[in-house]
């Protein structure tokens, strides 16, 4: 049976490196993907995932099991690091192969992949986070609400609004591409 994150954290704080390794193996991939989806930068995602664990190991971290789960705390740290990154501005070209196996599969396979990435990056942060957690990371509403530290209804409304914004952006793009193709055919 798998030990809860909080138990691994307690053991880690007691100096058990195996507990840290297990916690890292369990949570780093999701934190990395979250940061990658939120920033569009491989370098930033690697740094953010790494920094979450540095903060977790620091003596002065502010994790309090009475206030929530360790996973929620880690995503909160990642969220704050993403905000810092976004304030700095882009440092590398956006990643076009960020999304491979998600429920937006038919869009991923289409020629609009770059447009989808751009549209997701342009969403306001609270909507982008809902799309990343629910659609790309395939978290359920309860998990996303816990990680976003908001009510389930807020996750649902943000996701609904985000999907509407994405659909509008992609529809405008398809219309523009169709007009461009028609003008090419007529020349």
């Amino acid at each position: 049976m798998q030990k809860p994150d909080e138990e691994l954290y307690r053991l880690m704080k007691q100096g058990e490196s195996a507990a840290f390794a297990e916690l890292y193996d369990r949570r780093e991939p999701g934190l990395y993907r979250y940061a990658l989806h939120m920033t569009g930068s491989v370098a930033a995602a690697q740094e953010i995932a790494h920094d979450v664990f540095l903060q977790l190991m620091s003596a002065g971290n502010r994790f309090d099991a009475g206030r929530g789960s360790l996973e929620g705390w880690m995503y909160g740290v990642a969220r704050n690091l993403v905000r810092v990154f976004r304030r700095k501005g882009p440092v590398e070209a956006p990643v076009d192969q960020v999304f491979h196996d998600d429920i937006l599969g038919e869009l991923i396979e289409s020629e609009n992949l770059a447009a989808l990435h751009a549209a997701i990056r342009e969403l306001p942060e609270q909507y982008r986070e809902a799309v990343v957690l629910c659609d790309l990371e395939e978290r359920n509403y309860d998990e996303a609400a816990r990680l976003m530290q908001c009510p389930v209804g807020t996750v649902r409304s943000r996701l609904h609004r985000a999907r509407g914004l994405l659909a509008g952006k992609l529809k405008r793009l398809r219309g523009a591409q169709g007009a461009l193709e028609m003008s090419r055919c007529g020349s």
Side-chain angles (χ1 to χ4, degrees), residues 102-109 116 120 131 135-136 166:
D102 57 57
I103 63 174
L104 298 175
E106 67 184 58
L107 289 174
I108 300 305
E109 297 300 322
L116 175 63
I120 290 172
V131 167
D135 288 341
L136 303 178
L166 283 173

Side-chain angles (χ1 to χ4, degrees), residues 21-185:
E22 187 176 339
L23 185 61
Y24 185 88
D25 289 345
R26 181 183 301 168
R27 296 295 171 212
E28 188 278 339
L31 290 165
Y32 170 80
R33 285 190 312 271
Y34 169 81
L36 186 59
H37 290 311
M38 294 296 288
T39 65
S41 165
V42 170
Q46 290 170 338
E47 185 175 333
I48 288 167
H50 178 75
D51 286 354
V52 168
F53 283 93
L54 287 178
Q55 287 190 30
L56 182 66
M57 292 185 316
S58 74
N61 84 47
R62 297 178 186 235
F63 171 65
D64 177 3
R67 296 184 65 202
S69 71
L70 182 61
E71 183 185 23
W73 180 86
M74 295 171 85
Y75 273 83
V77 171
R79 181 181 310 110
N80 290 336
L81 292 170
V82 164
R83 287 179 181 145
V84 169
F85 170 80
R86 292 185 63 77
R87 276 189 236 124
K88 291 179 187 176
V91 293
E92 66 180 54
V95 177
D96 283 338
Q97 294 186 357
V98 173
F99 316 112
H100 290 290
D101 301 319
D102 57 57
I103 63 174
L104 298 175
E106 67 184 58
L107 289 174
I108 300 305
E109 297 300 322
S110 77
E111 61 194 32
N112 295 324
L113 180 60
L116 175 63
H117 293 298
I120 290 172
R121 281 191 303 275
E122 290 174 9
L123 288 173
E125 184 175 337
Q126 69 270 21
Y127 300 143
R128 184 174 59 251
E129 187 173 28
V131 167
V132 166
L133 290 173
C134 294
D135 288 341
L136 303 178
E137 290 295 312
E138 298 181 354
R139 301 282 187 141
N140 65 39
Y141 293 135
D142 291 330
E143 290 174 316
R146 183 173 44 80
L147 297 175
M148 293 170 63
Q149 299 173 338
C150 66
V152 171
T154 301
V155 172
R156 288 181 179 174
S157 65
R158 287 179 182 175
L159 190 57
H160 177 75
R161 179 72 177 132
R163 288 173 177 163
L165 290 170
L166 283 173
K169 288 176 185 287
L170 294 172
K171 185 177 181 181
R172 285 190 296 279
L173 174 70
R174 285 186 187 126
Q177 285 177 338
L180 180 61
E181 288 173 13
M182 289 182 69
S183 69
R184 286 182 187 158
C185 291

